Amino acid sequence: MYHGETIDICAVLREIETAARSHGWCSELFHETGGFKLIALRRSPLSIRNPQSAIRIYISAGIHGDEPAGPLAVLRLLQKNRWPENAEIFLLPCLNPAGFTLNRRENAGGIDLNRDYRNPQSDEVRAHIAWLERQPRFDLYLCLHEDWESRGFYLYEQNPDNRPSLAEKINAAVREICPIDESESIEGRAAHRGIIRPGIKPHERPDWPEAFYLIANKSRQGYTLEAPSDFPLATRVNALVAGVNAAVATQDSAPHLF
Ligand SMILES: [Zn+2]
């Protein structure tokens, strides 16, 4: 079944900014290109009594313009605004707005931004990296995606220091809402119960996705969540929201990681 839903990304981003503002988030415009704005949202931890206990979580969406579930999940998360008290959240609601108006994976110049993080050619990724370089390190990153070929939800885990994994908890929460892709091979990689642990060597690969940049420079643990495009848009949004909530909630009682 083909679900090629498009969204009015400018309208969704306006709703995202409204929701963020109403809950006291800060908004930073870090790049503007072709009439499109790239924004970063930040939520300060509520309990400032002990700033050392803050957990820094990075969440990004909308790097592929034919994957509307990510920005819509961000909107839902902001409208609900339920986060652990000690969580400092860095939220990039849409990294490729031009791609959404074209309803395609790449940006206006035909570049797949999620392969552009090693020697960036696109204005969007250059601006994003410049923004990232101004931020602290993150305890956890989450990148929200969809996959057009998968049979269900799955995720990639990057956890080179073998910290307690969040993968099973994320998938258990998603499973209530959306089938998990149980294939033993997904995208040509070994998978187990919807979890891919690729064991990457960033320096051997020229075309870095965002997650490679993050694991090489900004974080030591993170997840790329892939909702199945074959399922209705509402199911994909619910799956990504459930996955983020499960990952973030786990951080509530976790010891400080940095
Ligand atoms: Zn994607």
Side-chain angles (χ1 to χ4, degrees):
M1 207 190 311
Y2 178 82
H3 292 278
E5 303 97 332
T6 57
I7 53 171
D8 177 348
I9 192 64
C10 294
V12 171
L13 284 170
R14 277 196 299 275
E15 285 187 78
I16 282 172
E17 285 203 90
T18 301
R21 208 175 305 123
S22 75
H23 292 298
W25 290 57
C26 300
S27 174
E28 180 188 349
L29 172 67
F30 66 89
H31 187 63
E32 204 161 3
T33 177
F36 295 104
K37 294 175 176 175
L38 295 188
I39 59 167
L41 303 169
R42 193 174 67 83
R43 172 198 188 266
S44 300
L46 293 184
S47 57
I48 49 171
R49 220 181 323 159
N50 181 10
Q52 298 303 314
S53 72
I55 297 288
R56 296 197 180 104
I57 300 171
Y58 168 91
I59 305 169
S60 75
I63 199 168
H64 288 140
D66 56 353
E67 301 176 7
L72 292 176
V74 167
L75 174 58
R76 175 91 56 79
L77 288 161
L78 283 167
Q79 288 171 335
K80 299 276 184 205
N81 201 44
R82 286 198 200 110
W83 309 95
E85 273 206 359
N86 62 339
E88 182 173 17
I89 314 278
F90 302 78
L91 181 52
L92 287 287
C94 185
L95 289 167
N96 181 16
F100 280 89
T101 60
L102 300 164
N103 189 29
R104 72 173 188 196
R105 181 178 172 93
E106 299 84 4
N107 75 350
I111 298 172
D112 182 343
L113 301 185
N114 206 33
R115 298 290 180 270
D116 195 33
Y117 279 82
R118 186 155 193 183
N119 298 300
Q121 303 301 307
S122 64
D123 290 345
E124 292 94 332
V125 172
R126 284 187 181 140
H128 183 210
I129 288 176
W131 177 85
L132 282 165
E133 286 173 347
R134 298 195 298 273
Q135 310 309 315
R137 290 180 66 84
F138 309 118
D139 297 290
L140 175 70
Y141 74 80
L142 302 168
C143 299
L144 310 188
H145 284 257
E146 297 187 37
D147 185 330
W148 285 87
E149 290 158 351
S150 73
R151 298 174 188 174
F153 178 93
Y154 66 94
L155 59 77
Y156 295 89
E157 177 176 58
Q158 297 293 346
N159 186 11
D161 300 338
N162 291 313
R163 290 177 176 166
S165 174
L166 308 180
E168 281 83 6
K169 286 169 189 159
I170 294 170
N171 278 8
V174 173
R175 197 184 295 273
E176 306 281 314
I177 289 155
C178 173
I180 303 293
D181 190 332
E182 304 281 355
S183 312
E184 286 173 14
S185 171
I186 301 173
E187 295 279 300
R189 293 178 189 277
H192 179 68
R193 306 207 73 195
I195 300 166
I196 303 172
R197 296 185 165 105
I200 58 163
K201 297 189 179 81
H203 296 284
E204 293 177 4
R205 185 169 156 177
D207 54 345
W208 282 11
E210 179 191 13
F212 278 38
Y213 179 89
L214 292 169
I215 212 72
N217 295 288
K218 299 301 290 186
S219 185
R220 296 299 288 168
Q221 186 171 7
Y223 299 85
T224 299
L225 311 187
E226 299 274 358
S229 300
D230 238 9
F231 288 78
L233 183 55
T235 303
R236 285 131 58 193
V237 173
N238 290 340
L240 293 176
V241 168
V244 171
N245 281 333
V248 167
T250 311
Q251 296 294 299
D252 204 0
S253 53
H256 185 53
L257 298 175
F258 279 109

